[in-house]
């Protein structure tokens, strides 16, 4: 992350948010010792899901596969305002993404504008297919701080192997539109990141991806390891280069997760996730919202955050994280930076 983008984030700190972060971290360290799961303070960051709908059909994504066990829908303006109004004092950072393509929700940029009135840093992740020149202009004007654009190939043939039904030309066009309007409007934001999901069929294009990102003028490129569900016996998506794999081959020929699952997780103290219909889930790995902590439609956020249900979930992380299904494929520590 560049110094300019770090500054964009830091300038959203207030004394109250800084003090809240200290309380969070102290309670996190104390809980690692006591194994109780108590918490002081409120999350410094949240993810808010604009929609569960997506225009693509990526093979390891429940949204793309249309394989959710929960409803498909869009976040409403009313519910979004309710969320923001309850978290605005302590939350520093909002990632407007969980599942789905954010720009499918017609109110998406209105969400950004409202959060910015509360001086909150806003980020999103997109496949860039909806970034027309007009939409790119509106995005820059909305105040969005960071945009992650998925680009998993430097040729259409490679790109569409994972981003099924997608168009690389549209990704490049959308990227150019954003960068053009940043320049026209003399805006430092959004900070634009190319995110390249490394899989077996595109791992030979990493240098080409770096070259493309430089030619277009994006701010940064990141290479990310891919999550696959059936990995133990091997998977056609796992790259040969283990540096870019989330899994490693064992002596018996099977695969295992490279990342060690320690009995703690800072995310359970620092952040939370809101689904489009107001449910609160502990982590972005709970894609089907199986571990629902509460619902903002019926309870206040502070009540849910401090509830026994949430405390018990944190406690289970501290005592036997390997037994929690959404933790078994966790990516913490497995992003590979350019």
């Amino acid at each position: 992350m560049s110094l300019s983008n770090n500054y964009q984030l830091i300038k959203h700190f207030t004394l109250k948010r800084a003090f809240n972060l200290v309380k969070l971290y102290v309670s996190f360290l104390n809980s690692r010792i006591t194994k109780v799961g108590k918490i002081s303070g409120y999350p410094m960051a949240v993810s808010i899901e604009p929609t569960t709908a997506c225009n693509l059909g990526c093979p390891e994504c429940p949204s793309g596969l249309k394989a959710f066990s929960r409803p498909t829908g869009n976040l409403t303006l009313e519910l979004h305002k309710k969320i923001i109004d309850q978290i605005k004092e302590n939350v520093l950072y909002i990632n407007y993404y969980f599942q789905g393509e954010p720009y499918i929700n017609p109110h998406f940029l209105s969400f950004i504008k409202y959060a910015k009135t509360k001086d909150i840093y806003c980020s999103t992740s997109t496949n860039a297919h909806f970034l027309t020149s007009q939409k790119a202009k509106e995005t820059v004007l909305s105040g969005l701080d960071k945009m992650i654009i998925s680009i998993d190939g430097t040729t259409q043939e490679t790109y569409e192997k994972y981003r099924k039904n997608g168009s690389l030309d549209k990704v490049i066009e959308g990227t150019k539109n954003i960068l053009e309007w940043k320049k026209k409007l003399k805006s430092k934001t959004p900070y634009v990141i190319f995110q390249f999901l490394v899989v077996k069929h595109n791992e030979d294009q990493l240098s080409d991806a770096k070259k493309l990102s430089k030619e277009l003028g994006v701010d940064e490129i990141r290479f990310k390891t891919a999550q696959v569900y059936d990995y133990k016996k091997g998977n056609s998506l796992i790259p040969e280069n283990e540096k870019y794999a989330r899994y490693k081959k064992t002596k018996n020929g099977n695969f295992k997760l490279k990342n060690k699952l320690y009995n703690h997780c800072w995310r359970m103290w620092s952040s939370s996730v809101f689904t489009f219909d107001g449910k609160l889930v502990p982590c972005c790995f709970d894609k089907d919202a199986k571990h629902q902590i509460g619902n903002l439609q019926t309870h206040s956020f502070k009540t849910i955050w401090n509830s026994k249900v949430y405390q018990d979930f944190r406690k289970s992380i501290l005592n036997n994280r390997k037994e929690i299904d959404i933790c078994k494929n966790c990516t913490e520590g497995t992003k590979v930076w350019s």
Side-chain angles (χ1 to χ4, degrees):
M1 189 179 289
S2 73
L3 290 175
S4 62
N5 192 48
N6 280 332
Y7 172 72
Q8 290 296 328
L9 178 61
I10 292 169
K11 76 178 187 179
H12 290 81
F13 265 104
T14 62
L15 283 175
K16 184 162 187 175
R17 288 172 181 170
F19 183 57
N20 176 69
L21 177 56
V22 171
K23 288 196 295 182
L24 278 175
Y25 196 67
V26 170
S27 68
F28 170 63
L29 294 178
N30 184 59
S31 293
R32 286 181 61 178
I33 296 170
T34 62
K35 304 292 184 183
V36 173
K38 288 186 177 180
I39 194 166
S40 295
Y42 293 94
M44 59 170 285
V46 298
S47 292
I48 298 177
E49 181 178 62
T51 184
T52 46
C54 188
N55 54 309
L56 302 186
C58 305
E60 294 294 321
C61 174
S63 179
L65 292 171
K66 315 297 185 286
F68 277 125
S69 60
R70 59 189 179 101
T72 296
N74 288 334
L75 176 66
T76 65
L77 288 168
E78 293 75 18
L79 181 54
H80 175 261
K81 184 178 185 299
K82 187 175 184 178
I83 293 171
I84 298 300
D85 289 351
Q86 293 191 39
I87 66 173
K88 62 186 178 184
E89 291 183 354
N90 297 298
V91 165
L92 169 74
Y93 184 114
I94 297 175
N95 180 27
Y96 280 94
Y97 177 76
F98 179 25
Q99 296 298 300
E101 166 51 47
Y103 280 88
I104 286 178
N105 190 319
H107 304 304
F108 172 57
L109 293 178
S110 295
F111 301 154
I112 303 296
K113 290 176 184 177
Y114 187 70
K116 295 306 297 180
T117 66
K118 309 303 177 185
D119 195 26
I120 301 173
Y121 183 98
C122 296
S123 172
T124 195
S125 182
T126 176
N127 60 44
H129 281 60
F130 297 94
L131 290 176
T132 61
S133 180
Q134 180 60 31
K135 190 61 69 175
K137 179 182 179 181
E138 293 171 6
T139 298
V140 176
L141 290 173
S142 74
L144 180 70
D145 294 285
K146 183 172 72 174
M147 171 180 282
I148 297 173
I149 295 175
S150 297
I151 181 163
D152 306 328
T154 56
T155 63
Q156 176 62 26
E157 181 183 9
T158 300
Y159 174 80
E160 67 184 357
K161 282 184 179 178
Y162 188 81
R163 299 287 168 182
K164 296 190 182 299
N165 306 320
S167 166
L168 180 60
D169 285 343
K170 283 189 176 181
V171 178
I172 293 173
E173 180 186 359
T175 302
K176 287 179 177 179
N177 287 338
I178 282 287
L179 297 175
E180 181 182 0
W181 277 108
K182 277 182 66 177
K183 188 175 181 179
K184 284 182 177 180
L185 296 169
K186 298 179 180 179
S187 176
K188 294 181 180 179
T189 58
Y191 184 80
V192 180
I193 299 171
F194 263 176
Q195 182 167 275
F196 193 101
L197 190 69
V198 184
V199 288
K200 192 170 185 176
H201 63 257
N202 69 15
E203 62 180 319
D204 62 338
Q205 295 187 342
L206 305 190
S207 60
D208 291 337
K210 288 182 180 180
K211 182 180 178 182
L212 178 61
S213 68
K214 188 174 182 179
E215 288 174 351
L216 292 174
V218 300
D219 297 298
E220 184 182 339
I221 184 169
R222 297 179 182 179
F223 297 105
K224 183 181 179 182
T225 62
Q227 175 188 5
V228 297
Y229 289 100
D230 297 319
Y231 64 85
K232 291 184 179 179
K233 298 295 183 180
N235 189 295
S236 60
L237 290 173
I238 299 175
E240 296 288 340
N241 188 339
E242 199 172 279
K243 175 184 177 181
Y244 297 101
R246 194 173 297 186
Y247 316 94
K248 65 186 298 183
K249 205 171 191 175
T250 62
K251 291 181 179 179
N252 64 8
N254 291 334
F255 286 79
K256 69 175 184 178
L257 191 68
K258 284 198 303 188
N259 195 36
K260 292 183 179 179
L261 292 179
Y262 297 106
N263 285 333
H264 57 79
C265 181
W266 169 234
R267 285 186 181 187
M268 294 303 103
W269 276 254
S270 66
S271 61
S272 195
V273 178
F274 292 92
T275 65
F276 80 93
D277 51 357
K279 296 181 178 67
L280 203 68
V281 297
C283 172
C284 62
F285 278 83
D286 190 8
K287 296 176 182 179
D288 275 308
K290 292 189 293 185
H291 297 274
Q292 294 175 24
I293 306 295
N295 194 323
L296 208 65
Q297 306 272 25
T298 55
H299 294 84
S300 72
F301 174 72
K302 289 186 177 181
T303 298
I304 299 169
W305 181 254
N306 292 303
S307 67
K308 185 177 185 303
V309 176
Y310 220 144
Q311 183 173 316
D312 286 346
F313 190 86
R314 295 186 188 104
K315 185 177 180 180
S316 66
I317 291 280
L318 295 166
N319 288 279
N320 198 359
R321 187 177 170 208
K322 290 181 180 179
E323 294 302 311
I324 301 173
D325 58 343
I326 61 173
C327 295
K328 291 179 180 179
N329 215 343
C330 183
T331 58
E332 283 296 286
T334 58
K335 288 186 177 69
V336 184
W337 302 76
S338 60

